[in-house]
Amino acid sequence: MNKETSMNASVDVAIIGAGPSGAVAAALLRKAGHSVLVLERQHFPRFSIGESLLPQSMAYLEEAGMLQDVVEAGFQFKNGAHFVYRDQASAYDFRDKHSEGWGTTYQVERAVFDDILIRRAAKQGAEVRFGHAVLDMQTGDAPVLEVADEAGTRYRVNARFVLDASGFGRVLPRLLNLEAPTRMPTRAAIFTHVRDGIPVGVHDRNKITVAVHPEHRDVWYWMIPLANGRSSVGCVAEAAVLDVPEAEREAKLRSLIRSEPTLNRLIGDAPFLMPVRHIGGYSANVERLHGPGYALLGNAGEFLDPVFSSGVTIAFRSAHLAVETLKRQLNGEAVDWQAQYDRPLRKGIDTFRAFVENWYTGKLQDIIFARDQVPQIRRMISAVLAGYAWDETNPYVVEPVRRLNTLHEVCTQRG
């Protein structure tokens, strides 16, 4: 038997990508007794951005049997978000929210976090092949993937269904020409990790800090405290603002940090622990999230913006919804992927989109920094910021655009 023949596989579900959505989907499918093969182009652990989780994610980690591994990993505890703009500050405690469910989570180094999840999925019986790239796909009731390992050996994977969890790699959108225009402007981010050296009691490490540039309200920063005295810090702006040669990125980020009073005070001169990285054009969309024999999970389908750390939550939600639909299909039931997967997933994405768009117009910033906030409404906003963007008991999920516009008018009238 030659190597190519020995690597051929037939499984119930093939998953492209071993990131959070792929790992959770694999674990949930294994719990249901289905055979799973995960194909990952890279080797883990590997660096990834998106270190601040939302509390709603915890329910999916628990459902997938991964919660204990995450809790015991020693990640930085997180209970909310701290927003700053010039001399204004507003902190949201996610435990004080409208929606039922988790109010706390973690801020994680994604290389470690993602590795924990996929290793747990492997222990649950999923086969994982690192260093294997999907080159092509034949769609249909019995999809076939053409795959290559790092030695260039090609082989075929026959599956009853394929889930694309390839994140920003967006494997199937590229191979099947599924890309669609995104409504989000082209933005970019530059970022690094720092040794923050913040003394105990000076800053609340249990919250992500989101800071608005003092002169340009569409430019914002994150500071995410991590374990062991590290923080992830970055700046997001229109792509042209951050379009500098690689050799100038460190100076650019340092200058931007020093221009924001709170971050300058906390980490203005903190040593960078890795080269400053750049990511641009990350907002993405597709015509549809499913097709004959496949569905797209997480960032492989749509990514909005990093401002509210929604990426991993959307990834987990997509894995949960897709697996619930797929289990019925694999058991011989007739399913409607549009009604049971696409529309329900996009409901929460559209909620997050309304919040993101209102952030960049400045309306949501006005709401967040408003004086004399009504506690009940504040808890509704807090619930969405905590990831509960699918909870339709929340008026800001049912009608996010209208509700935010009305709330902004009220805040503006109050001054």
Side-chain angles (χ1 to χ4, degrees):
M1 181 182 295
N2 61 38
K3 183 179 179 183
E4 178 177 352
T5 303
S6 67
M7 295 175 69
N8 289 342
S10 294
V11 293
D12 289 335
V13 184
I15 298 177
I16 306 171
S21 63
V24 166
L28 294 175
L29 287 163
R30 286 299 304 140
K31 283 182 66 177
H34 297 292
S35 58
V36 178
L37 172 60
V38 181
L39 301 163
E40 169 56 52
R41 179 176 56 85
Q42 295 181 288
H43 288 272
F44 281 32
R46 53 87 178 97
F47 178 85
S48 181
I49 197 63
E51 298 107 332
S52 194
L53 305 183
L54 299 183
Q56 208 259 357
S57 297
M58 302 293 278
Y60 300 119
L61 292 171
E62 189 170 26
E63 179 187 19
M66 297 171 165
L67 185 59
Q68 181 176 345
D69 294 47
V70 172
V71 169
E72 293 180 353
F75 294 124
Q76 169 65 47
F77 181 76
K78 175 186 176 181
N79 62 22
H82 182 229
F83 297 90
V84 294
Y85 173 54
R86 296 181 178 173
D87 60 349
Q88 301 177 75
S90 180
Y92 279 77
D93 189 325
F94 293 156
R95 295 166 295 188
D96 184 20
K97 65 186 187 314
H98 167 84
S99 302
E100 295 292 327
W102 286 82
T104 62
T105 185
Y106 296 97
Q107 295 173 158
V108 303
E109 291 189 57
R110 283 286 303 279
V112 178
F113 177 76
D114 291 9
D115 193 52
I116 287 172
L117 301 194
I118 195 59
R119 302 295 175 186
R120 171 50 59 186
K123 289 179 181 177
Q124 293 170 321
E127 181 183 354
V128 184
R129 297 182 182 179
F130 293 105
H132 289 238
V134 173
L135 306 179
D136 199 6
M137 176 178 171
Q138 298 174 24
T139 62
D141 293 336
V144 180
L145 296 176
E146 182 178 346
V147 187
D149 67 8
E150 291 172 312
T153 301
R154 296 192 175 204
Y155 63 95
R156 294 161 70 89
V157 174
N158 294 275
R160 297 171 66 189
F161 204 84
V162 174
L163 295 174
D164 185 354
S166 59
F168 291 123
R170 300 175 63 75
V171 171
L172 292 190
R174 288 188 294 102
L175 292 177
L176 304 179
N177 297 315
L178 304 176
E179 302 280 4
T182 175
R183 287 163 44 184
M184 310 302 294
T186 303
R187 297 190 179 93
I190 54 175
F191 52 90
T192 188
H193 284 184
V194 302
R195 177 71 61 194
D196 57 63
I198 301 172
V200 175
V202 171
H203 179 72
D204 185 357
R205 299 188 70 88
N206 295 333
K207 292 179 175 63
I208 181 177
T209 293
V210 177
V212 182
H213 190 283
E215 305 301 329
H216 306 286
R217 294 182 70 185
D218 62 337
V219 177
W220 63 274
Y221 310 76
W222 76 75
M223 187 182 79
I224 305 170
L226 303 170
N228 303 317
R230 298 166 69 101
S231 283
S232 171
V233 60
C235 180
V236 175
E238 292 280 351
V241 174
L242 303 178
D243 185 18
V244 298
E246 184 175 353
E248 298 176 17
R249 287 179 191 161
E250 181 171 340
K252 181 69 172 180
L253 181 57
R254 184 71 72 182
S255 173
L256 285 164
I257 290 171
R258 287 175 174 158
S259 69
E260 200 292 307
T262 298
L263 293 190
N264 185 45
R265 173 174 56 84
L266 293 172
I267 56 170
D269 296 315
F272 291 170
L273 299 178
M274 66 182 190
V276 174
R277 298 171 182 250
H278 174 279
I279 182 172
Y282 42 70
S283 295
N285 193 14
V286 289
E287 293 288 351
R288 59 187 184 276
L289 293 172
H290 61 92
Y294 70 88
L296 310 179
L297 307 183
N299 294 349
E302 183 163 3
F303 182 75
L304 298 173
D305 189 271
V307 64
F308 298 123
S309 306
S310 62
V312 173
T313 292
I314 292 172
F316 285 164
R317 179 73 175 186
S318 70
H320 167 83
L321 285 172
V323 169
E324 287 300 301
T325 306
L326 182 53
K327 285 191 300 185
R328 292 191 289 270
Q329 178 171 312
L330 294 176
N331 288 334
E333 298 179 33
V335 299
D336 182 340
W337 278 90
Q338 188 67 20
Q340 294 169 265
Y341 176 65
D342 192 304
R343 283 202 296 270
L345 181 61
R346 288 189 192 271
K347 175 59 184 176
I349 293 173
D350 288 344
T351 301
F352 280 125
R353 178 183 289 107
F355 274 62
V356 169
E357 290 177 344
N358 277 273
W359 171 266
Y360 283 106
T361 64
K363 289 183 179 181
L364 186 57
Q365 296 179 32
D366 291 340
I367 291 169
I368 286 173
F369 294 114
R371 294 175 295 174
D372 303 320
Q373 297 181 21
V374 177
Q376 182 181 4
I377 295 177
R378 182 178 170 85
R379 284 192 288 271
M380 294 173 183
I381 300 296
S382 180
V384 175
L385 297 179
Y388 294 90
W390 291 267
D391 176 13
E392 296 198 39
T393 69
N394 186 342
Y396 289 86
V397 171
V398 177
E399 297 180 296
V401 174
R402 187 181 72 82
R403 290 281 181 171
L404 288 173
N405 285 337
T406 301
L407 182 56
H408 180 257
E409 289 178 9
V410 173
C411 292
T412 302
Q413 291 168 2
R414 287 178 180 175

